[in-house]
Amino acid sequence: MKKLVLVAGARPNFMKIAPILRATDNHEDLQAILVHTGQHYDENMSEAFFSDLGIKKPDYHLEVGSGTHAVQTAKIMVGFEEVCLREKPDMVVVVGDVNSTIAAGLVAKKLSVKLAHIEAGLRSRDRRMPEEINRLATDAISDIFFTTEDSGTQNLLAEGHPQESIFFVGHVMIDNLFYQLRKINDKNAVTPFARSLKERLSKVEKYLCMTLHRPSNVDDKVVLTEILKTVNDVAMEVPVVFPCHPRTRHRIEEFGLEKLFSENGTSSTSDQCGLIITDPLSYNDFLYIWKGCSVVLTDSGGLQEETTALGVPCLTLRMNTERPITVEVGTNILVGNDMKKLRLEIAKAIDGNRKHGYVPDLWDGSASERIVRHILRHL
Ligand code: UD1
């Protein structure tokens, strides 16, 4: 029996861990211990995802909470070292690029435990992004790498990692997306709130969805104000659903930008139109809403890929992307913080003059199974 410790901490980790746990269940010779670091802790940033995605209760919860990068990373390391000393795993598996990823990776390697990185090799080449530092540092110390697109493989080779340690397997997040899509056909898998929102949106032909949480977009008052003003204008014509991340909500309050919106959270007096601001939505609720929209506006990494997988147009409010396949073959367009370009591309998507794409190689729902088979061979 081989023992894996799987680490999840922040919202985008949960979608990647769920299918890996399901795949390990199919192998009797593998035991999977789940550690939740507690980097994200609000009910709608954490528990709601565990429940929607069918993730088991974590075997360990480190409850680290928020803090500066140093505080958060250090707290995770202290808690995770205790887990590793107690469990003595054969391998630690980390996903993505959040603080929990690098913190757990460092602990594993300092204890000479094998480390696997899922979604390895992605590079934005923008070292101002905390995630880019996490990606570079995690890949520098990992033993085996699972890549989602060829750019990841090529980056790792260029950084000197041996070919035999790199496996192009497709994308666990897309495994999860296809799995959850089947689930939301059952109306009970979404909340009454999401159903009534969809009902309201069904009265208009077209609507948009937006997510926004990157420090580069929301921590700068001028940038955030420009984005919200632009989207607010668009929302006068076509409704925009905007589940608001806690970081963004705090900044809107701090910068006094609530006055852009009316008290009921929408910016228009019309029943249908307006910027519809909600709390963060659970995975199923948000999928249920965005899969039918005309275009997604986002600065998330994961949504760039999920929209490509479902053929939904996506406008990314970033100067660069570590996921270039979504632009090369998918439906993604980078608009940076060029508001003229954003308006133009929104207008094109609404008029039906949208970007088409195709689904990248191996984004077929079976990446987790491939990963588990490679891990077993490696161990
Ligand atoms: C983190 C990840 C980012 C990921 C994002 C998804 C890092 C460096 N960043 O950024 O890659 O895209 O998660 O959400 O790991 N907060 C709450 N409740 C929560 C969590 C956070 O109120 O459950 C608030 C706190 O004020 C916190 C702030 O949001 O200080 C930011 O949270 P944090 O986890 O530090 O970073 P994210 O912006 O969420």
Side-chain angles (χ1 to χ4, degrees):
M1 171 74 82
K2 297 290 181 187
K3 192 189 274 188
L4 302 182
V5 166
L6 308 183
V7 183
R11 189 170 61 170
N13 291 162
F14 307 141
M15 296 75 124
K16 296 166 195 164
I17 285 293
I20 301 167
L21 277 169
R22 273 194 292 279
T24 57
D25 281 349
N26 298 332
H27 295 268
E28 284 173 358
D29 40 356
L30 267 187
Q31 181 192 3
I33 308 275
L34 177 62
V35 178
H36 186 336
T37 66
Q39 177 174 347
H40 283 173
Y41 46 86
D42 283 352
E43 156 76 29
N44 52 17
M45 297 290 285
S46 176
E47 299 312 314
F49 280 75
F50 271 64
S51 135
D52 269 9
L53 306 179
I55 307 175
K56 69 173 181 174
K57 197 170 168 293
D59 299 285
Y60 293 89
H61 201 309
L62 307 181
E63 295 181 358
V64 298
S66 294
T68 62
H69 284 261
V71 167
Q72 195 171 58
T73 308
K75 277 187 174 170
I76 297 168
M77 288 184 70
V78 172
F80 190 64
E81 188 179 51
E82 280 175 30
V83 174
C84 285
L85 288 172
R86 184 156 162 197
E87 294 291 343
K88 301 191 176 26
D90 295 292
M91 180 178 272
V92 166
V93 179
V94 294
V95 294
D97 55 17
V98 301
N99 287 345
S100 301
T101 310
I102 179 59
L106 274 172
V107 169
K109 288 321 297 170
K110 295 279 177 115
L111 293 173
S112 300
V113 176
K114 283 190 175 155
L115 179 63
H117 186 201
I118 294 178
E119 204 186 63
L122 298 179
R123 299 287 179 266
S124 66
R125 324 254 173 242
D126 179 356
R127 292 197 179 197
R128 289 165 306 177
M129 277 182 90
E131 294 80 4
E132 183 72 355
I133 307 301
N134 293 341
R135 289 179 205 117
L136 283 160
T138 305
D139 285 337
I141 57 174
S142 292
D143 298 289
I144 55 171
F145 306 88
F146 296 105
T147 60
T148 54
E149 58 172 277
D150 190 52
S151 77
T153 304
Q154 297 311 322
N155 290 331
L156 291 167
L157 289 172
E159 288 165 21
H161 297 287
Q163 177 87 64
E164 55 278 16
S165 64
I166 307 167
F167 302 95
F168 169 51
V169 288
H171 207 333
V172 290
M173 206 182 52
I174 305 303
D175 294 3
N176 176 71
L177 173 68
F178 293 161
Y179 185 84
Q180 294 299 126
L181 258 185
R182 290 192 292 274
K183 280 214 302 204
I184 62 167
N185 285 331
D186 172 3
K187 283 275 166 25
N188 293 325
V190 294
T191 63
F193 173 78
R195 279 207 299 279
S196 78
L197 179 56
K198 188 76 181 264
E199 181 74 36
R200 175 178 164 191
L201 294 166
S202 69
K203 299 200 175 92
V204 287
E205 217 183 302
K206 292 177 175 164
Y207 63 93
L208 274 54
C209 288
M210 175 167 82
T211 76
L212 204 65
H213 74 281
R214 293 270 159 225
S216 57
N217 280 328
V218 308
D219 287 1
D220 182 315
K221 184 175 176 182
V222 177
V223 175
L224 181 60
T225 308
E226 279 307 302
I227 295 173
L228 292 181
K229 271 190 180 157
T230 305
V231 175
N232 209 22
D233 281 356
V234 170
M236 295 298 169
E237 309 289 330
V238 188
V240 181
V241 180
F242 178 27
C244 197
H245 187 282
R247 174 190 281 278
T248 312
R249 173 81 67 181
H250 294 158
R251 295 296 178 256
I252 288 175
E253 285 163 15
E254 187 184 322
F255 300 149
L257 298 176
E258 308 98 315
K259 55 183 180 292
L260 280 174
F261 322 113
S262 70
E263 271 167 20
N264 62 5
T266 102
S267 56
S268 162
T269 47
S270 136
D271 247 9
Q272 270 83 42
C273 288
L275 187 56
I276 304 163
I277 305 181
T278 71
D279 285 337
L281 297 178
S282 72
Y283 188 87
N284 286 350
D285 279 3
F286 192 42
L287 174 58
Y288 183 65
I289 302 289
W290 75 254
K291 76 183 176 67
C293 80
S294 297
V295 56
V296 168
L297 320 181
T298 194
D299 57 8
S300 142
L303 256 180
Q304 293 174 52
E305 298 174 319
E306 291 185 310
T307 45
T308 275
L310 295 194
V312 173
C314 178
L315 302 176
T316 297
L317 289 124
R318 284 179 45 193
M319 304 294 181
N320 48 52
T321 179
E322 61 286 342
R323 299 155 209 271
I325 196 122
T326 60
V327 176
E328 287 157 15
V329 312
T331 54
N332 191 18
I333 297 175
L334 293 184
V335 296
N337 51 22
D338 180 344
M339 293 299 111
K340 255 169 91 179
K341 186 166 181 193
L342 180 64
R343 279 176 204 267
L344 182 75
E345 292 298 340
I346 292 174
K348 278 163 66 178
I350 291 172
D351 287 348
N353 180 13
R354 41 156 298 187
K355 184 177 180 194
H356 292 275
Y358 64 84
V359 180
D361 274 357
L362 296 189
W363 290 18
D364 58 2
S366 302
S368 319
E369 192 51 49
R370 289 184 197 107
I371 289 174
V372 169
R373 273 190 257 122
H374 283 304
I375 287 179
L376 274 168
R377 247 175 265 140
H378 191 87
L379 292 174

